[in-house]
Amino acid sequence: MASNTQPTPAKPKPALSGVVRQYLLAYNAANFFLWSTLTIRTLRLLINQSITDGLTFDIPAIFGETYTPMLQTAQSLAVLEILHSLIGIVRAPLLTTAMQVASRLFVVWGILYPFHSGIFGVGDKVGESAYLGCLLAWGVTECIRYGYFVMQVNGGAASVPSWWNWLRYNTFYVLYPIGISSECTLAVKALPNAEGLHPLYWWFIVAVLTIYVPGSYMLYTHMIRQRRKSSNAKKE
């Protein structure tokens, strides 16, 4: 009886696998399109401004062209990656995935959404540079990451070009410190405005910044381990 019942639950797996594969392909392709569009738009704005104004960039204007709805949408979609990890359709660790997504949402919705006018409205070059740092570090990272996933889901790991694989597992050494330092800078710059909004919100940002220190270390070392695994897999 046992041998007769074993094949029954296994039959739906190929169809389910196909549905999940198509969903992940569509999800990653949509994110690749969003981040590519956002990154190209940012670079185009920087180039156009440099032609007319030299190296004096109008970051509030860039914010107006990139934050709504592109950055809001691109970062909010990442919430689904927590669900993907939770239900097991991807192999990404739940804790590190949740931490990374939460930190981005904190900056986009918890800092930039309520306090962008206070950060950019007084010509604060440090805050403005931090926003630009987030845009470029996030944008380049996510273009590489989602492009990698599109190729991997579509044709397997062997279909990913070696140079793209190198980008996937090496650029974070530079881009992650730029991104995390820019995120922390924006949060610090928002503190005066947060205190004016409500003292508890000020403490909330302080608490998140305190978590950033061990959290960033965990994420950074996780990526180093992933790079090591990828290198060992190639050798085998």
Side-chain angles (χ1 to χ4, degrees), residues 4 12 32 49 59 61 88 101 108 116 134 136 152-153 156 165 167 185 192 195 228:
N4 291 334
F32 178 73
Q49 288 186 10
I59 304 301
V101 172
V108 170
H116 65 271
C134 283
L136 294 176
Q152 186 184 52
V153 172
N165 193 77
L167 291 174
T185 300
E195 189 173 21
R228 191 175 299 125

Side-chain angles (χ1 to χ4, degrees), residues 3-232:
S3 60
N4 291 334
T5 57
Q6 286 176 356
T8 304
K11 287 181 180 179
K13 285 186 178 180
L16 181 62
S17 166
V19 170
V20 170
R21 179 175 169 274
Q22 292 303 315
Y23 163 74
L24 289 176
L25 183 61
Y27 172 80
N28 289 308
N31 276 283
F32 178 73
F33 172 78
L34 281 171
W35 281 107
S36 297
T37 303
L38 179 60
T39 304
I40 292 171
R41 179 178 295 180
T42 302
L43 293 173
R44 177 178 58 82
L45 290 168
L46 288 172
I47 292 171
N48 290 342
Q49 288 186 10
S50 67
I51 292 173
T52 57
D53 303 319
L55 296 178
T56 305
F57 298 114
D58 185 357
I59 304 301
I62 293 176
F63 176 86
E65 292 281 341
T66 56
Y67 179 72
T68 305
M70 291 294 296
L71 183 60
Q72 290 175 323
T73 303
Q75 290 292 21
S76 297
L77 272 178
V79 172
L80 291 174
E81 297 186 19
I82 300 176
L83 179 62
H84 297 165
S85 178
L86 184 63
I87 64 179
I89 64 174
V90 298
R91 293 183 297 175
L94 179 60
L95 179 59
T96 54
T97 300
M99 288 175 58
Q100 186 168 20
V101 172
S103 67
R104 300 281 190 86
L105 293 177
F106 165 71
V107 173
V108 170
W109 291 106
I111 298 297
L112 291 173
Y113 182 74
F115 305 126
H116 65 271
S117 59
I119 295 174
F120 304 140
V122 293
D124 187 338
K125 297 304 180 183
V126 175
E128 292 178 358
S129 298
Y131 178 70
L132 187 59
C134 283
L135 271 184
L136 294 176
W138 291 349
V140 175
T141 297
E142 299 299 42
C143 286
I144 294 171
R145 188 167 73 96
Y146 286 114
Y148 176 90
F149 289 151
V150 167
M151 290 182 280
Q152 186 184 52
V153 172
N154 190 47
S159 66
V160 181
S162 58
W163 61 271
W164 199 289
N165 193 77
W166 185 91
L167 291 174
R168 169 82 173 95
Y169 289 106
N170 289 276
T171 52
F172 77 89
Y173 279 114
V174 175
L175 295 175
Y176 185 78
I178 293 174
I180 202 72
S181 60
S182 298
E183 293 172 32
C184 290
T185 300
L186 287 174
V188 170
K189 288 295 178 181
L191 283 173
N193 295 283
E195 189 173 21
L197 180 65
H198 197 286
L200 287 179
Y201 206 90
W202 186 91
W203 281 109
F204 166 68
I205 295 177
V206 171
V208 173
L209 284 170
T210 304
I211 297 171
Y212 255 79
V213 176
S216 60
Y217 174 78
M218 288 177 59
L219 290 172
Y220 199 60
T221 53
H222 169 71
M223 289 184 285
I224 292 174
R225 288 193 297 270
Q226 291 299 106
R227 180 188 182 280
R228 191 175 299 125
K229 287 180 183 178
S230 175
S231 299
N232 292 338

